[in-house]
mmCIF file of all heavy atoms in Angstrom:
data_model
loop_
_atom_site.group_PDB
_atom_site.id
_atom_site.type_symbol
_atom_site.label_atom_id
_atom_site.label_comp_id
_atom_site.label_asym_id
_atom_site.label_seq_id
_atom_site.Cartn_x
_atom_site.Cartn_y
_atom_site.Cartn_z
ATOM 1 N N TYR B 1 85.013 109.977 7.691
ATOM 2 C CA TYR B 1 84.585 109.315 6.449
ATOM 3 C C TYR B 1 83.713 108.019 6.540
ATOM 4 O O TYR B 1 82.850 107.833 5.835
ATOM 5 C CB TYR B 1 85.832 109.153 5.590
ATOM 6 C CG TYR B 1 86.391 110.382 5.184
ATOM 7 C CD1 TYR B 1 87.662 110.810 5.785
ATOM 8 C CD2 TYR B 1 85.938 111.145 4.075
ATOM 9 C CE1 TYR B 1 88.267 112.030 5.329
ATOM 10 C CE2 TYR B 1 86.542 112.298 3.778
ATOM 11 C CZ TYR B 1 87.712 112.676 4.342
ATOM 12 O OH TYR B 1 88.384 113.875 4.023
ATOM 13 N N ARG B 2 84.079 107.248 7.654
ATOM 14 C CA ARG B 2 83.456 105.960 7.834
ATOM 15 C C ARG B 2 81.945 106.174 8.057
ATOM 16 O O ARG B 2 81.084 105.536 7.373
ATOM 17 C CB ARG B 2 84.057 105.305 9.000
ATOM 18 C CG ARG B 2 83.399 103.865 9.292
ATOM 19 C CD ARG B 2 83.863 103.352 10.597
ATOM 20 N NE ARG B 2 85.416 103.191 10.555
ATOM 21 C CZ ARG B 2 86.059 103.188 11.660
ATOM 22 N NH1 ARG B 2 85.501 103.363 12.835
ATOM 23 N NH2 ARG B 2 87.394 103.104 11.502
ATOM 24 N N THR B 3 81.647 107.060 9.050
ATOM 25 C CA THR B 3 80.180 107.243 9.309
ATOM 26 C C THR B 3 79.461 107.982 8.175
ATOM 27 O O THR B 3 78.321 107.580 7.824
ATOM 28 C CB THR B 3 80.094 108.130 10.657
ATOM 29 O OG1 THR B 3 80.748 107.561 11.619
ATOM 30 C CG2 THR B 3 78.658 108.420 10.952
ATOM 31 N N GLU B 4 80.175 108.810 7.485
ATOM 32 C CA GLU B 4 79.544 109.568 6.455
ATOM 33 C C GLU B 4 79.335 108.539 5.267
ATOM 34 O O GLU B 4 78.153 108.618 4.627
ATOM 35 C CB GLU B 4 80.482 110.671 5.851
ATOM 36 C CG GLU B 4 79.944 111.510 4.700
ATOM 37 C CD GLU B 4 80.946 112.553 4.228
ATOM 38 O OE1 GLU B 4 81.940 112.798 4.880
ATOM 39 O OE2 GLU B 4 80.567 113.093 3.123
ATOM 40 N N ALA B 5 80.138 107.698 4.928
ATOM 41 C CA ALA B 5 80.098 106.748 3.807
ATOM 42 C C ALA B 5 78.858 105.820 4.125
ATOM 43 O O ALA B 5 78.049 105.501 3.259
ATOM 44 C CB ALA B 5 81.352 105.896 3.598
ATOM 45 N N ARG B 6 78.848 105.292 5.363
ATOM 46 C CA ARG B 6 77.834 104.412 5.670
ATOM 47 C C ARG B 6 76.445 105.079 5.649
ATOM 48 O O ARG B 6 75.413 104.399 5.225
ATOM 49 C CB ARG B 6 78.015 103.817 7.112
ATOM 50 C CG ARG B 6 79.108 102.828 7.183
ATOM 51 C CD ARG B 6 79.284 102.206 8.628
ATOM 52 N NE ARG B 6 79.813 100.946 8.716
ATOM 53 C CZ ARG B 6 79.694 100.107 9.684
ATOM 54 N NH1 ARG B 6 79.125 100.486 10.707
ATOM 55 N NH2 ARG B 6 80.259 98.881 9.597
ATOM 56 N N GLY B 7 76.418 106.287 6.078
ATOM 57 C CA GLY B 7 75.154 107.061 6.017
ATOM 58 C C GLY B 7 74.655 107.226 4.611
ATOM 59 O O GLY B 7 73.487 107.019 4.258
ATOM 60 N N LEU B 8 75.719 107.560 3.634
ATOM 61 C CA LEU B 8 75.240 107.767 2.230
ATOM 62 C C LEU B 8 74.752 106.453 1.571
ATOM 63 O O LEU B 8 73.850 106.502 0.735
ATOM 64 C CB LEU B 8 76.543 108.339 1.529
ATOM 65 C CG LEU B 8 76.807 109.785 1.829
ATOM 66 C CD1 LEU B 8 78.248 110.074 1.220
ATOM 67 C CD2 LEU B 8 75.694 110.638 1.276
ATOM 68 N N LEU B 9 75.466 105.407 1.938
ATOM 69 C CA LEU B 9 75.105 104.077 1.356
ATOM 70 C C LEU B 9 73.664 103.686 1.799
ATOM 71 O O LEU B 9 72.928 103.125 1.088
ATOM 72 C CB LEU B 9 76.156 102.966 1.712
ATOM 73 C CG LEU B 9 77.526 103.081 1.109
ATOM 74 C CD1 LEU B 9 78.485 102.264 1.747
ATOM 75 C CD2 LEU B 9 77.391 102.823 -0.415
ATOM 76 N N THR B 10 73.408 103.935 3.097
ATOM 77 C CA THR B 10 71.999 103.602 3.610
ATOM 78 C C THR B 10 71.032 104.579 3.001
ATOM 79 O O THR B 10 69.938 104.001 2.545
ATOM 80 C CB THR B 10 71.927 103.940 5.096
ATOM 81 O OG1 THR B 10 73.054 103.122 5.811
ATOM 82 C CG2 THR B 10 70.620 103.617 5.681
ATOM 83 N N ARG B 11 71.266 105.820 2.699
ATOM 84 C CA ARG B 11 70.384 106.680 1.912
ATOM 85 C C ARG B 11 70.214 106.239 0.541
ATOM 86 O O ARG B 11 69.097 106.231 -0.030
ATOM 87 C CB ARG B 11 70.954 108.106 1.903
ATOM 88 C CG ARG B 11 70.644 108.924 3.146
ATOM 89 C CD ARG B 11 71.459 110.253 3.042
ATOM 90 N NE ARG B 11 71.080 110.850 1.810
ATOM 91 C CZ ARG B 11 71.814 111.837 1.197
ATOM 92 N NH1 ARG B 11 72.952 112.313 1.796
ATOM 93 N NH2 ARG B 11 71.498 112.393 0.065
ATOM 94 N N TYR B 12 71.227 105.645 -0.076
ATOM 95 C CA TYR B 12 71.173 105.130 -1.494
ATOM 96 C C TYR B 12 70.088 103.962 -1.537
ATOM 97 O O TYR B 12 69.245 104.013 -2.359
ATOM 98 C CB TYR B 12 72.531 104.631 -1.886
ATOM 99 C CG TYR B 12 72.555 103.959 -3.318
ATOM 100 C CD1 TYR B 12 72.564 104.667 -4.437
ATOM 101 C CD2 TYR B 12 72.512 102.653 -3.351
ATOM 102 C CE1 TYR B 12 72.490 104.151 -5.692
ATOM 103 C CE2 TYR B 12 72.495 102.051 -4.585
ATOM 104 C CZ TYR B 12 72.487 102.773 -5.719
ATOM 105 O OH TYR B 12 72.483 102.202 -6.944
ATOM 106 N N VAL B 13 70.291 102.995 -0.583
ATOM 107 C CA VAL B 13 69.391 101.918 -0.629
ATOM 108 C C VAL B 13 67.957 102.352 -0.310
ATOM 109 O O VAL B 13 66.982 101.815 -0.959
ATOM 110 C CB VAL B 13 69.966 100.828 0.496
ATOM 111 C CG1 VAL B 13 68.878 99.612 0.389
ATOM 112 C CG2 VAL B 13 71.303 100.293 0.039
ATOM 113 N N GLU B 14 67.801 103.272 0.601
ATOM 114 C CA GLU B 14 66.424 103.780 1.018
ATOM 115 C C GLU B 14 65.771 104.417 -0.301
ATOM 116 O O GLU B 14 64.525 104.283 -0.502
ATOM 117 C CB GLU B 14 66.574 104.701 2.154
ATOM 118 C CG GLU B 14 66.888 104.101 3.507
ATOM 119 C CD GLU B 14 67.027 105.080 4.568
ATOM 120 O OE1 GLU B 14 67.388 106.320 4.247
ATOM 121 O OE2 GLU B 14 66.979 104.767 5.783
ATOM 122 N N ALA B 15 66.616 105.152 -1.088
ATOM 123 C CA ALA B 15 66.078 105.730 -2.221
ATOM 124 C C ALA B 15 65.650 104.714 -3.284
ATOM 125 O O ALA B 15 64.666 104.914 -3.961
ATOM 126 C CB ALA B 15 67.073 106.801 -2.839
ATOM 127 N N ARG B 16 66.509 103.694 -3.380
ATOM 128 C CA ARG B 16 66.188 102.698 -4.318
ATOM 129 C C ARG B 16 64.863 101.874 -3.953
ATOM 130 O O ARG B 16 64.248 101.397 -4.830
ATOM 131 C CB ARG B 16 67.291 101.696 -4.486
ATOM 132 C CG ARG B 16 68.582 102.162 -5.118
ATOM 133 C CD ARG B 16 68.520 102.168 -6.598
ATOM 134 N NE ARG B 16 68.600 100.878 -7.182
ATOM 135 C CZ ARG B 16 67.579 100.045 -7.532
ATOM 136 N NH1 ARG B 16 66.283 100.636 -7.525
ATOM 137 N NH2 ARG B 16 67.673 98.847 -7.920
ATOM 138 N N LEU B 17 64.551 101.889 -2.728
ATOM 139 C CA LEU B 17 63.389 101.137 -2.251
ATOM 140 C C LEU B 17 62.190 101.997 -2.172
ATOM 141 O O LEU B 17 61.162 101.433 -1.882
ATOM 142 C CB LEU B 17 63.742 100.365 -0.957
ATOM 143 C CG LEU B 17 64.671 99.287 -0.946
ATOM 144 C CD1 LEU B 17 65.085 98.831 0.468
ATOM 145 C CD2 LEU B 17 64.151 98.074 -1.753
ATOM 146 N N ASP B 18 62.359 103.276 -2.195
ATOM 147 C CA ASP B 18 61.239 104.250 -1.980
ATOM 148 C C ASP B 18 60.212 103.981 -3.055
ATOM 149 O O ASP B 18 60.414 104.242 -4.310
ATOM 150 C CB ASP B 18 61.712 105.629 -2.048
ATOM 151 C CG ASP B 18 60.758 106.624 -1.572
ATOM 152 O OD1 ASP B 18 59.437 106.319 -1.620
ATOM 153 O OD2 ASP B 18 61.066 107.804 -1.207
ATOM 154 N N PRO B 19 58.936 103.523 -2.680
ATOM 155 C CA PRO B 19 57.998 103.190 -3.752
ATOM 156 C C PRO B 19 57.538 104.595 -4.481
ATOM 157 O O PRO B 19 57.164 104.324 -5.636
ATOM 158 C CB PRO B 19 56.756 102.724 -2.907
ATOM 159 C CG PRO B 19 57.048 103.206 -1.498
ATOM 160 C CD PRO B 19 58.467 103.292 -1.283
ATOM 161 N N GLN B 20 57.610 105.703 -3.843
ATOM 162 C CA GLN B 20 57.319 106.950 -4.636
ATOM 163 C C GLN B 20 58.346 107.295 -5.645
ATOM 164 O O GLN B 20 58.071 108.194 -6.460
ATOM 165 C CB GLN B 20 57.143 108.132 -3.551
ATOM 166 C CG GLN B 20 55.995 107.827 -2.616
ATOM 167 C CD GLN B 20 55.771 108.955 -1.658
ATOM 168 O OE1 GLN B 20 56.613 109.880 -1.655
ATOM 169 N NE2 GLN B 20 54.717 108.889 -0.923
ATOM 170 N N LEU B 21 59.601 106.737 -5.596
ATOM 171 C CA LEU B 21 60.615 107.040 -6.501
ATOM 172 C C LEU B 21 60.846 105.976 -7.607
ATOM 173 O O LEU B 21 61.611 106.112 -8.366
ATOM 174 C CB LEU B 21 61.866 107.269 -5.781
ATOM 175 C CG LEU B 21 62.001 108.567 -4.838
ATOM 176 C CD1 LEU B 21 63.355 108.559 -4.148
ATOM 177 C CD2 LEU B 21 61.777 109.821 -5.618
ATOM 178 N N ARG B 22 60.024 104.941 -7.535
ATOM 179 C CA ARG B 22 60.127 103.802 -8.435
ATOM 180 C C ARG B 22 59.076 103.692 -9.347
ATOM 181 O O ARG B 22 58.641 102.569 -9.787
ATOM 182 C CB ARG B 22 60.338 102.474 -7.658
ATOM 183 C CG ARG B 22 61.581 102.390 -6.800
ATOM 184 C CD ARG B 22 61.621 101.151 -5.908
ATOM 185 N NE ARG B 22 61.472 99.903 -6.836
ATOM 186 C CZ ARG B 22 60.471 99.056 -6.621
ATOM 187 N NH1 ARG B 22 59.700 99.176 -5.448
ATOM 188 N NH2 ARG B 22 60.418 97.900 -7.316
ATOM 189 N N THR B 23 58.537 104.791 -9.739
ATOM 190 C CA THR B 23 57.481 104.816 -10.852
ATOM 191 C C THR B 23 58.029 105.576 -12.039
ATOM 192 O O THR B 23 59.047 106.192 -12.034
ATOM 193 C CB THR B 23 56.290 105.590 -10.362
ATOM 194 O OG1 THR B 23 56.622 106.871 -10.076
ATOM 195 C CG2 THR B 23 55.733 105.004 -9.064
ATOM 196 N N ARG B 24 57.347 105.425 -13.165
ATOM 197 C CA ARG B 24 57.756 106.104 -14.378
ATOM 198 C C ARG B 24 57.791 107.630 -14.151
ATOM 199 O O ARG B 24 58.821 108.174 -14.748
ATOM 200 C CB ARG B 24 56.882 105.784 -15.472
ATOM 201 C CG ARG B 24 56.820 104.213 -15.749
ATOM 202 C CD ARG B 24 55.730 103.959 -16.815
ATOM 203 N NE ARG B 24 55.641 102.425 -17.106
ATOM 204 C CZ ARG B 24 54.852 101.905 -17.946
ATOM 205 N NH1 ARG B 24 54.045 102.663 -18.640
ATOM 206 N NH2 ARG B 24 54.755 100.555 -18.049
ATOM 207 N N ALA B 25 56.927 108.153 -13.531
ATOM 208 C CA ALA B 25 56.827 109.590 -13.341
ATOM 209 C C ALA B 25 58.029 110.227 -12.548
ATOM 210 O O ALA B 25 58.433 111.302 -12.693
ATOM 211 C CB ALA B 25 55.522 110.044 -12.725
ATOM 212 N N THR B 26 58.499 109.449 -11.652
ATOM 213 C CA THR B 26 59.609 109.802 -10.706
ATOM 214 C C THR B 26 60.929 109.224 -10.957
ATOM 215 O O THR B 26 61.866 109.336 -10.202
ATOM 216 C CB THR B 26 59.199 109.560 -9.255
ATOM 217 O OG1 THR B 26 58.965 108.188 -9.099
ATOM 218 C CG2 THR B 26 57.956 110.299 -8.777
ATOM 219 N N PHE B 27 61.045 108.624 -12.152
ATOM 220 C CA PHE B 27 62.331 107.989 -12.567
ATOM 221 C C PHE B 27 63.496 108.933 -12.677
ATOM 222 O O PHE B 27 64.611 108.747 -12.108
ATOM 223 C CB PHE B 27 62.229 107.342 -13.865
ATOM 224 C CG PHE B 27 63.344 106.383 -14.238
ATOM 225 C CD1 PHE B 27 63.427 105.186 -13.663
ATOM 226 C CD2 PHE B 27 64.431 106.842 -15.091
ATOM 227 C CE1 PHE B 27 64.627 104.333 -13.955
ATOM 228 C CE2 PHE B 27 65.416 106.033 -15.426
ATOM 229 C CZ PHE B 27 65.522 104.769 -14.778
ATOM 230 N N ARG B 28 63.101 110.199 -13.103
ATOM 231 C CA ARG B 28 64.179 111.272 -13.178
ATOM 232 C C ARG B 28 64.712 111.621 -11.789
ATOM 233 O O ARG B 28 65.907 111.781 -11.570
ATOM 234 C CB ARG B 28 63.652 112.490 -13.832
ATOM 235 C CG ARG B 28 64.606 113.721 -14.070
ATOM 236 C CD ARG B 28 63.920 114.881 -14.580
ATOM 237 N NE ARG B 28 63.395 114.639 -15.909
ATOM 238 C CZ ARG B 28 64.048 114.853 -17.025
ATOM 239 N NH1 ARG B 28 65.319 115.187 -16.870
ATOM 240 N NH2 ARG B 28 63.601 114.632 -18.161
ATOM 241 N N GLU B 29 63.790 111.804 -10.773
ATOM 242 C CA GLU B 29 64.177 112.252 -9.518
ATOM 243 C C GLU B 29 65.074 111.177 -8.833
ATOM 244 O O GLU B 29 66.102 111.456 -8.171
ATOM 245 C CB GLU B 29 62.898 112.440 -8.752
ATOM 246 C CG GLU B 29 63.112 112.934 -7.244
ATOM 247 C CD GLU B 29 61.973 113.161 -6.398
ATOM 248 O OE1 GLU B 29 60.854 113.210 -7.009
ATOM 249 O OE2 GLU B 29 61.939 113.368 -5.262
ATOM 250 N N LEU B 30 64.685 109.925 -9.016
ATOM 251 C CA LEU B 30 65.443 108.799 -8.400
ATOM 252 C C LEU B 30 66.892 108.747 -9.088
ATOM 253 O O LEU B 30 67.802 108.632 -8.336
ATOM 254 C CB LEU B 30 64.815 107.406 -8.743
ATOM 255 C CG LEU B 30 65.638 106.219 -8.310
ATOM 256 C CD1 LEU B 30 65.790 106.085 -6.890
ATOM 257 C CD2 LEU B 30 64.924 104.926 -8.774
ATOM 258 N N LEU B 31 66.958 108.993 -10.390
ATOM 259 C CA LEU B 31 68.284 109.005 -11.085
ATOM 260 C C LEU B 31 69.154 110.190 -10.427
ATOM 261 O O LEU B 31 70.346 110.016 -10.255
ATOM 262 C CB LEU B 31 68.041 109.157 -12.531
ATOM 263 C CG LEU B 31 69.306 109.198 -13.396
ATOM 264 C CD1 LEU B 31 70.040 107.902 -13.294
ATOM 265 C CD2 LEU B 31 69.003 109.492 -14.855
ATOM 266 N N VAL B 32 68.545 111.355 -10.235
ATOM 267 C CA VAL B 32 69.283 112.485 -9.665
ATOM 268 C C VAL B 32 69.821 112.210 -8.292
ATOM 269 O O VAL B 32 70.899 112.492 -7.998
ATOM 270 C CB VAL B 32 68.416 113.794 -9.700
ATOM 271 C CG1 VAL B 32 69.085 114.821 -8.936
ATOM 272 C CG2 VAL B 32 68.041 114.170 -11.065
ATOM 273 N N ILE B 33 68.912 111.525 -7.464
ATOM 274 C CA ILE B 33 69.306 111.273 -6.091
ATOM 275 C C ILE B 33 70.566 110.292 -6.030
ATOM 276 O O ILE B 33 71.492 110.445 -5.345
ATOM 277 C CB ILE B 33 68.100 110.790 -5.306
ATOM 278 C CG1 ILE B 33 67.064 111.809 -5.074
ATOM 279 C CG2 ILE B 33 68.571 110.179 -3.929
ATOM 280 C CD1 ILE B 33 65.763 111.342 -4.505
ATOM 281 N N THR B 34 70.381 109.151 -6.834
ATOM 282 C CA THR B 34 71.341 108.148 -6.714
ATOM 283 C C THR B 34 72.756 108.691 -7.318
ATOM 284 O O THR B 34 73.796 108.307 -6.794
ATOM 285 C CB THR B 34 70.918 106.847 -7.499
ATOM 286 O OG1 THR B 34 70.477 107.229 -8.847
ATOM 287 C CG2 THR B 34 69.812 106.254 -6.772
ATOM 288 N N GLN B 35 72.580 109.384 -8.453
ATOM 289 C CA GLN B 35 73.845 109.982 -8.929
ATOM 290 C C GLN B 35 74.528 110.963 -8.028
ATOM 291 O O GLN B 35 75.749 111.012 -7.933
ATOM 292 C CB GLN B 35 73.584 110.576 -10.359
ATOM 293 C CG GLN B 35 73.435 109.644 -11.455
ATOM 294 C CD GLN B 35 73.107 110.210 -12.763
ATOM 295 O OE1 GLN B 35 72.793 111.436 -12.784
ATOM 296 N NE2 GLN B 35 73.278 109.462 -13.865
ATOM 297 N N GLY B 36 73.775 111.692 -7.267
ATOM 298 C CA GLY B 36 74.256 112.631 -6.270
ATOM 299 C C GLY B 36 75.005 111.938 -5.166
ATOM 300 O O GLY B 36 76.093 112.332 -4.785
ATOM 301 N N ILE B 37 74.391 110.800 -4.759
ATOM 302 C CA ILE B 37 75.009 110.037 -3.677
ATOM 303 C C ILE B 37 76.328 109.400 -4.204
ATOM 304 O O ILE B 37 77.362 109.342 -3.427
ATOM 305 C CB ILE B 37 73.984 108.900 -3.128
ATOM 306 C CG1 ILE B 37 72.860 109.569 -2.439
ATOM 307 C CG2 ILE B 37 74.806 107.874 -2.215
ATOM 308 C CD1 ILE B 37 71.727 108.553 -1.986
ATOM 309 N N HIS B 38 76.339 108.918 -5.356
ATOM 310 C CA HIS B 38 77.519 108.440 -5.992
ATOM 311 C C HIS B 38 78.709 109.459 -5.934
ATOM 312 O O HIS B 38 79.834 109.147 -5.645
ATOM 313 C CB HIS B 38 77.334 107.956 -7.348
ATOM 314 C CG HIS B 38 76.611 106.581 -7.469
ATOM 315 N ND1 HIS B 38 75.937 106.198 -8.581
ATOM 316 C CD2 HIS B 38 76.260 105.642 -6.494
ATOM 317 C CE1 HIS B 38 75.265 105.054 -8.311
ATOM 318 N NE2 HIS B 38 75.529 104.669 -7.088
ATOM 319 N N ASP B 39 78.330 110.582 -6.342
ATOM 320 C CA ASP B 39 79.352 111.752 -6.466
ATOM 321 C C ASP B 39 79.850 112.119 -5.029
ATOM 322 O O ASP B 39 81.126 112.261 -4.889
ATOM 323 C CB ASP B 39 78.720 113.105 -6.984
ATOM 324 C CG ASP B 39 78.298 112.813 -8.544
ATOM 325 O OD1 ASP B 39 78.824 111.879 -9.172
ATOM 326 O OD2 ASP B 39 77.453 113.573 -8.978
ATOM 327 N N GLU B 40 79.065 112.088 -4.030
ATOM 328 C CA GLU B 40 79.519 112.306 -2.641
ATOM 329 C C GLU B 40 80.461 111.221 -2.221
ATOM 330 O O GLU B 40 81.492 111.552 -1.545
ATOM 331 C CB GLU B 40 78.339 112.578 -1.784
ATOM 332 C CG GLU B 40 77.499 113.767 -1.995
ATOM 333 C CD GLU B 40 76.388 113.963 -0.920
ATOM 334 O OE1 GLU B 40 76.749 113.922 0.250
ATOM 335 O OE2 GLU B 40 75.283 113.991 -1.316
ATOM 336 N N LEU B 41 80.066 110.005 -2.482
ATOM 337 C CA LEU B 41 80.862 108.830 -2.062
ATOM 338 C C LEU B 41 82.239 108.913 -2.689
ATOM 339 O O LEU B 41 83.249 108.662 -2.060
ATOM 340 C CB LEU B 41 80.143 107.503 -2.323
ATOM 341 C CG LEU B 41 79.028 107.159 -1.386
ATOM 342 C CD1 LEU B 41 78.236 106.031 -2.002
ATOM 343 C CD2 LEU B 41 79.555 106.796 -0.091
ATOM 344 N N TRP B 42 82.167 109.229 -3.961
ATOM 345 C CA TRP B 42 83.506 109.223 -4.853
ATOM 346 C C TRP B 42 84.444 110.421 -4.334
ATOM 347 O O TRP B 42 85.561 110.259 -4.295
ATOM 348 C CB TRP B 42 83.157 109.258 -6.284
ATOM 349 C CG TRP B 42 84.450 109.001 -7.007
ATOM 350 C CD1 TRP B 42 85.152 109.875 -7.753
ATOM 351 C CD2 TRP B 42 85.054 107.703 -7.264
ATOM 352 N NE1 TRP B 42 86.222 109.239 -8.377
ATOM 353 C CE2 TRP B 42 86.188 107.890 -8.076
ATOM 354 C CE3 TRP B 42 84.708 106.389 -6.842
ATOM 355 C CZ2 TRP B 42 87.014 106.844 -8.501
ATOM 356 C CZ3 TRP B 42 85.523 105.352 -7.251
ATOM 357 C CH2 TRP B 42 86.626 105.569 -8.052
ATOM 358 N N LYS B 43 83.755 111.503 -4.046
ATOM 359 C CA LYS B 43 84.535 112.665 -3.631
ATOM 360 C C LYS B 43 85.278 112.445 -2.348
ATOM 361 O O LYS B 43 86.428 112.628 -2.201
ATOM 362 C CB LYS B 43 83.566 113.862 -3.426
ATOM 363 C CG LYS B 43 84.315 115.199 -2.970
ATOM 364 C CD LYS B 43 83.345 116.292 -2.857
ATOM 365 C CE LYS B 43 83.964 117.486 -2.351
ATOM 366 N NZ LYS B 43 83.056 118.632 -2.188
ATOM 367 N N GLY B 44 84.554 111.727 -1.360
ATOM 368 C CA GLY B 44 85.167 111.379 -0.101
ATOM 369 C C GLY B 44 86.318 110.356 -0.326
ATOM 370 O O GLY B 44 87.408 110.493 0.315
#
């Protein structure tokens, strides 16, 4: 769980910083990715 959680948290920050996901057109995609990571972290 330790390695998995750290990997998911890193993916979360990378998604938040991805310039292609921080535009108005891709806001939906960013929201889906971050919520999916939250679900995985909480499940673990």
Side-chain angles (χ1 to χ4, degrees):
Y1 293 103
R2 178 189 305 156
T3 302
E4 181 182 352
R6 284 183 154 200
L8 287 171
L9 290 168
T10 303
R11 280 176 48 200
Y12 175 81
V13 178
E14 288 174 340
R16 288 281 288 104
L17 290 173
D18 189 343
Q20 296 182 353
L21 295 176
R22 292 176 54 237
T23 64
R24 298 176 183 179
T26 57
F27 190 80
R28 179 188 296 272
E29 184 179 350
L30 175 62
L31 184 61
V32 170
I33 292 174
T34 53
Q35 288 183 338
I37 293 175
H38 287 162
D39 292 341
E40 291 186 54
L41 286 167
W42 192 258
K43 180 180 178 181

